[in-house]
């Protein structure tokens, strides 16, 4: 309550790296399933795309410039970002403006990659895990949606006071 909320989508920040960071629509994932029958290949492409997006976000000056301009224009009280990939760079910008930075961790993804891809891909999965956990340790709050993800994050060294489990409620008045 009392916080100014504005929504900034990576779709609005047209830059090269933002194309790798946006979450694709359902239709594109259906198309991928038709084109790529091999489930392991789909998971590998997802992991590789995330790592490329992370790298590009760190060198994309256009993305940084547009993000800074949007912050100066909207003057938000808080920034909430969806997921760990690309978050580190935007987190550093938010700190320059003294704005708290939260991320939503819908899943602790490296567990899925390890399960779906197996040991051949452990070096890439470890790299992804390092990014995911280090971002969660640095940001002001991590919003996750189940206790299992919270315990995974805490077991990896994320402060339990930083991790908020947001339970979806059928009756939104319970939050009032």
């Amino acid at each position: 309550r009392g916080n100014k909320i504005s929504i900034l989508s990576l779709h609005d920040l047209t830059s090269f790296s933002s194309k790798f960071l946006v979450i694709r629509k359902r239709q594109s994932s259906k198309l991928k399933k038709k084109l790529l029958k091999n489930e392991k290949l789909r998971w590998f492409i997802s992991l590789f795309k995330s790592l490329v997006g992370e790298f590009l976000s760190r060198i994309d000056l256009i993305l940084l410039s547009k993000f800074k301009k949007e912050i100066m224009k909207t003057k938000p009280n808080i920034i909430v970002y969806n997921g760990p990939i690309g978050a580190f760079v935007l987190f550093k910008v938010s700190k320059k403006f003294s704005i708290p930075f939260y991320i939503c961790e819908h899943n602790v993804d490296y567990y899925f990659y390890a399960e779906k891809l197996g040991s051949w891909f452990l070096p890439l999965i470890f790299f992804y895990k390092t990014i995911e956990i280090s971002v969660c340790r640095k940001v002001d709050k991590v919003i996750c949606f189940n206790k299992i993800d919270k315990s995974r994050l805490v077991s990896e060294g994320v402060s339990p006071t930083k991790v908020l489990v947001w339970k979806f409620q059928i009756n939104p008045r319970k939050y009032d």
Side-chain angles (χ1 to χ4, degrees):
R1 295 184 190 252
N3 285 325
K4 179 179 179 180
I5 297 173
S6 59
I7 297 173
L8 172 63
S9 169
L10 286 171
H11 293 279
D12 300 330
L13 297 177
T14 307
S15 75
F16 188 66
S17 65
S18 68
K19 300 299 179 205
F20 284 87
L21 298 172
V22 293
I23 296 172
R24 301 284 175 221
K25 295 179 183 174
R26 272 191 101 133
Q27 292 171 342
S28 68
S29 66
K30 286 181 184 176
L31 178 63
K32 265 196 265 182
K33 284 181 183 175
K34 286 181 182 176
L35 294 175
L36 300 170
K37 299 272 185 203
N38 184 328
E39 182 183 9
K40 197 173 261 195
L41 180 59
R42 284 195 317 267
W43 280 97
F44 172 74
I45 289 171
S46 172
L47 174 62
F48 187 74
K49 179 181 165 281
S50 294
L51 293 174
V52 168
E54 176 67 24
F55 172 73
L56 291 176
S57 71
R58 291 172 184 253
I59 62 171
D60 190 343
L61 300 177
I62 294 170
L63 177 68
L64 287 176
S65 172
K66 289 182 177 185
F67 188 61
K68 287 176 187 176
K69 284 179 187 174
E70 196 62 34
I71 287 176
M72 290 187 287
K73 184 175 107 182
T74 59
K75 299 182 183 4
N77 298 94
I78 187 172
I79 296 172
V80 180
Y81 185 78
N82 191 30
I85 299 300
F88 189 71
V89 172
L90 303 180
F91 165 74
K92 288 188 342 186
V93 173
S94 74
K95 290 298 129 201
K96 287 181 182 176
F97 289 93
S98 300
I99 301 170
F101 193 88
Y102 290 22
I103 66 165
C104 289
E105 258 297 25
H106 294 276
N107 300 297
V108 179
D109 291 330
Y110 73 86
Y111 275 90
F112 289 110
Y113 288 127
E115 176 187 316
K116 298 295 183 179
L117 292 173
S119 61
W120 281 98
F121 298 95
L122 283 179
L124 287 177
I125 295 166
F126 180 76
F127 188 54
Y128 184 94
K129 175 184 177 179
T130 301
I131 294 165
E132 188 170 29
I133 297 303
S134 65
V135 165
C136 289
R137 287 178 183 158
K138 292 233 182 240
V139 299
D140 297 294
K141 285 281 184 194
V142 178
I143 302 168
C144 58
F145 300 97
N146 62 65
K147 291 178 182 177
I148 295 170
D149 283 343
K150 179 178 181 172
S151 65
R152 285 177 175 163
L153 292 170
V154 169
S155 73
E156 295 290 348
V158 179
S159 170
T161 59
K162 275 189 177 186
V163 184
L164 168 70
V165 177
W166 185 352
K167 296 179 184 176
F168 291 102
Q169 300 290 325
I170 295 173
N171 183 358
R173 293 182 192 165
K174 286 188 173 186
Y175 287 111
D176 289 339

